[in-house]
Amino acid sequence: MRKMLLATTVLTGLAGLTTTEASAADTITLKFWDNQQTESGLSQYQQEAVKRFEADNPDIKVEVTTIPYPEFQQRLLTAVRGGNAPDVSTVDQIWVAAFAEAGAITPLDDQAKAAGVKADAFFKGAWDSANYKGKLWGIPFNVDVWQFSFFNNALFKQTGIDLKSITTWVGLKAAAQKLTDASKGKYGVGLFAHKGEDTVVVMDSFIFSNGGKVLNDDGSCGLASEASVEALDYLQSLAPFAPKGIANASSGDMRELFLNGSLGVEFWPALEQPTLQKSKLDWDFVDGTAPDGKKPIGTYGGWNLVTYKSSPHQDAAWKFIQYLTRPDVNGSVVDLIPANVQAAKAFLAKNRKGPDRIMEHLNSAAPRPLSAHYLEVSDIEVTLAQDLFGGMKAADAAKKACEAIAAIK
């Protein structure tokens, strides 16, 4: 209401303003919320990109708010409920369905069609993550894949293991066993099952790579299928070759062990590479792992850009989204990998080892379930992982998880 009164006051007083004053009054202030990427909020490159947008669009000023990830979703929800939502924000891929169901964000099908923004400009799995119940709710902004299998080259060479053998389940398990010497604090593979999304996305990648699903197309639980249970059983079989305390371990814990040379293989996204590039480790990676004859399918992570229904600046918000996802801009404003395929190719060639391998994995990765109840499903999957590494049979753990999913209201 206050904004409406302010707008009315501005309009009725325009006749008496000078040209400069009228121009200032016509300026739109676009509120953009993003996940905090540095201690200061936006990276230097993002700040420069926002300045370029403002220079190209002198009638639009962008007011940026950055929020740490653990607080971000709740801050957005509180703002939506209070009628103070931003005009544009990034949202985690796994939030899209819930925000759509709540009526908080705007479908972008018409804008995308009119502007010629098409699916093939983005990675398929990323585009799929923005589509829910037949509508496009966002434009992919940045992406990554869980998981790539990073390995310690020196340890592999010392033990005579074929570097590419870990692309298969049989090869990974054989390598993990050979690399493990608990008496010397050496372990073959890093497993983790703490309460965190990293636990879920890695488990999903093994399920997807065997043809299994978390949720079926009709929304029912797919974890108890033969393919899913087989993947869970395989993961459990790797436990003897991992550091103790899997239930409380995180991917960050495994990274530390990998960096100090205690771990042969760790499961991480390409986001890990900058840290490894600064280390003294002799390392490399493969695109995940799958049963013989099957292709590794990673789990997508990343963010989509959305506009909010309450925004009075829908056109300006859409213009800003188009700008941030342009091939010539997208690569300079992301902390992961650009979701725009053309931008990603250039970004990876400049910043990452094995860019062609990363592109291949990005092109075949799958999104997590598109469900308004995803966060509840995720919690159930964490419990499943803890049951699994706690010794429960894979079939029993999967059945328990499916019963819990079926009970979600």
Side-chain angles (χ1 to χ4, degrees), residues 53 108 246 270:
F53 176 80
L108 297 175
I246 296 172

Side-chain angles (χ1 to χ4, degrees), residues 1-12 25 27-33 61 63 79-80 82-88 308-314:
M1 179 61 72
R2 183 176 178 275
K3 288 184 179 179
M4 292 176 64
L5 290 173
L6 179 58
T8 302
T9 301
V10 169
L11 288 171
T12 55
T27 300
I28 291 171
T29 298
L30 200 63
K31 294 181 179 180
F32 172 49
W33 287 17
K61 178 178 174 56
E63 180 183 289
V80 168
N84 299 307
D87 300 290
V88 180
Y308 289 80
K309 277 191 175 180
S310 59
S311 170
H313 309 305
Q314 295 292 328

Side-chain angles (χ1 to χ4, degrees), residues 171-370:
L172 175 61
K173 187 173 180 178
Q177 184 173 14
K178 198 169 185 179
L179 289 163
T180 300
D181 186 346
S183 66
K184 296 181 179 179
K186 302 289 185 181
Y187 297 92
V189 64
L191 298 177
F192 43 91
H194 78 130
K195 185 175 175 57
E197 194 65 14
D198 48 348
T199 292
V200 176
V201 287
V202 169
M203 184 165 64
D204 285 356
S205 72
F206 281 89
I207 292 171
F208 295 162
S209 295
N210 198 41
K213 292 185 176 183
V214 177
L215 296 183
N216 297 315
D217 293 342
D218 62 1
S220 62
C221 180
L223 292 168
S225 70
E226 182 178 349
S228 296
V229 170
E230 190 174 57
L232 296 171
D233 190 57
Y234 173 76
L235 268 175
Q236 189 178 56
S237 75
L238 295 177
F241 316 118
K244 303 300 181 184
I246 296 172
N248 295 315
S250 69
S251 59
D253 297 325
M254 296 305 104
R255 177 180 60 181
E256 293 307 311
L257 292 176
F258 189 78
L259 287 171
N260 70 27
S262 301
L263 190 64
V265 181
E266 72 154 340
F267 302 138
W268 252 81
L271 178 64
E272 176 75 353
Q273 281 208 25
T275 299
L276 293 175
Q277 288 166 354
K278 295 175 185 176
S279 74
K280 296 180 181 179
L281 280 179
D282 178 12
W283 61 276
D284 209 333
F285 71 95
V286 296
D287 288 353
T289 182
D292 287 342
K294 293 185 178 181
K295 184 180 180 66
I297 304 296
T299 308
Y300 256 109
W303 296 77
N304 297 323
L305 288 160
V306 300
T307 62
Y308 289 80
K309 277 191 175 180
S310 59
S311 170
H313 309 305
Q314 295 292 328
D315 290 343
W318 171 245
K319 183 180 288 188
F320 188 54
I321 286 177
Q322 283 184 276
Y323 170 78
L324 290 177
T325 55
R326 269 173 23 189
D328 61 322
V329 175
N330 197 207
S332 64
V333 293
V334 299
D335 59 328
L336 300 177
I337 298 167
N340 182 291
V341 173
Q342 186 178 333
K345 289 179 180 177
F347 175 89
L348 292 172
K350 181 180 179 181
N351 298 291
R352 298 288 186 267
K353 180 178 181 177
D356 292 342
R357 282 175 279 163
I358 296 174
M359 283 295 295
E360 183 178 355
H361 212 27
L362 284 164
N363 280 319
S364 61
R368 286 160 285 176
L370 303 176

Side-chain angles (χ1 to χ4, degrees), residues 396-409:
D396 293 339
K399 180 181 177 181
K400 176 185 171 184
C402 281
E403 290 172 350
I405 288 174
I408 295 174
K409 302 297 184 183

